Amino acid sequence: MTYNSTVRARRPACLAKNNVGSDRWWAELARKGTPLQTPVDDQRVRVDFFWRDPQGLASDIAKVQLVFHSVSSEPPREVSLLKRVAGTDVFHAYVIMQASWRASYRFIPLTTADLDQKQARTRVAGYEQHYDWLQHQSFTDPCNHRPDISNASLPSGSPLHGLEAGYELGWEEWDRGELLSVSVHTLTWASPWLGNERNVTCFETGTTDLSDKPVVTLLDGECWSKASGLPDVLNFLTQCKLLSPAVYIMVGSVGAEQRVQEFTANDDFWLAFFEELIPKLKLEFGLPPLAQNMLVAGQELGGLSALQAGLYWPQYITKVISLSGAFWWPDKRREPLAKADANSVRLMDQVMASCSPLAQLSVYFAAGEGERTLLAHNEEMAYVLQHKQSKVLYENYAGGHDWLSWRSSLIRGLSALLDN
């Protein structure tokens, strides 16, 4: 993805009008919907972004940062600055991007003081802390016609679908508000073993007998809650016979620090899951037999944990979906494979060292072209499992470290593995 590049692309006609920034001009832009996309060639589009300064010309806003969700561990390349159109309340910038790209984005208005503080924060605290600070003063795009991308771990983002991004199975209907609401059952799991408690949400799709359904466990369940739309999308696709009926368990996380402890190759979480939560769910919700009937899905560290569970609990789990799995762990520098810390033993190193075949395991990997070193780690893990005779499906999508990409990849993974 490039910014304000020398690529020749047609400028939006709205910027050539003599009433730029008027109420009528903004009303017309809102009617069209933003961002504006103009084809450059068969593979690229120009995307124009606009933000309206609520304080008008009296404002002290110097620039507006455009943030695409990309890679959580590095300063993303998908960052640009919108600049004020002289004499107006309009801030504008454009990017040249792949026509198949998907990304969620936010606007961050910055004063001159903010820009100075930004440099200080980045220098002293590092990018991750600075990014967290920025997120607290960011905004979605009010002229974007599609619903915001909602989850519990990040502020909502406005969705951008490239002109050639393709149809999102189930999500297009959700975005248009066409889906019926499915009933879910939520309970509290207070774990003596883990010393904490969290919400767990369960629901089933399809009308077949419960005993015939696979069990799907989704990690970071609060991010796939009713607000995200996932339960309604799964129910809709099952009714359309595009997904097999299943029982879904969405297991919430307990804060960022606890999530790191539980999802980084830690047996405690999964021991508590099978010894405490599963009996509770059998009693309160009813579950099909678990013997080699479970699929586990997760993203980031959840993808790492999901695969670990499939490797070490084969009596229950035979299918795994890993979305942007954090297979760099525990090399916290997230170095490329050739530079990884020699003292860190990654999950893929453990798999390579094992003499046992893993033919019982089916894994769906998905990672984005914008994820750089993380993409390489996912590709290597997929290769290692293929070498161990696992059935591996691998998707490299046009996007980044982004829920907008993950939601479609999750559906494709479920479609591939539940019907297998």
Side-chain angles (χ1 to χ4, degrees), residues 187 200 202 249 277-287:
L187 54 87
V200 177
C202 302
I249 305 171
L277 179 60
I278 290 302
K280 182 178 181 68
L281 291 178
K282 287 181 177 178
L283 180 65
E284 297 191 27
F285 182 73
L287 284 179

Side-chain angles (χ1 to χ4, degrees), residues 3 65-80 127 131 370 372:
Y3 294 84
Q65 188 165 353
L66 168 66
V67 178
F68 282 108
H69 293 304
S70 179
V71 181
S72 61
S73 59
E74 304 176 50
R77 296 171 185 169
E78 296 75 38
V79 175
S80 186
Y127 180 77
Y131 187 73
R372 300 186 287 278

Side-chain angles (χ1 to χ4, degrees), residues 74-90:
E74 304 176 50
R77 296 171 185 169
E78 296 75 38
V79 175
S80 186
L81 291 174
L82 282 69
K83 299 178 181 178
R84 187 184 294 273
V85 177
T88 76
D89 61 0
V90 179

Side-chain angles (χ1 to χ4, degrees), residues 267-285:
D267 290 347
D268 286 346
F269 174 79
W270 288 106
L271 286 169
F273 176 88
F274 287 113
E275 295 296 326
E276 296 176 357
L277 179 60
I278 290 302
K280 182 178 181 68
L281 291 178
K282 287 181 177 178
L283 180 65
E284 297 191 27
F285 182 73

Side-chain angles (χ1 to χ4, degrees), residues 13 107 152 196 282 289 330 341 389 397 417:
F107 296 128
N196 55 45
K282 287 181 177 178
D341 186 349
Q389 303 176 29
Y397 57 79
L417 296 187

Side-chain angles (χ1 to χ4, degrees), residues 312-327:
Y312 296 114
W313 278 270
Q315 68 271 36
Y316 301 121
I317 302 166
T318 57
K319 300 173 183 179
V320 170
I321 296 174
S322 173
L323 309 175
S324 303
F327 299 120

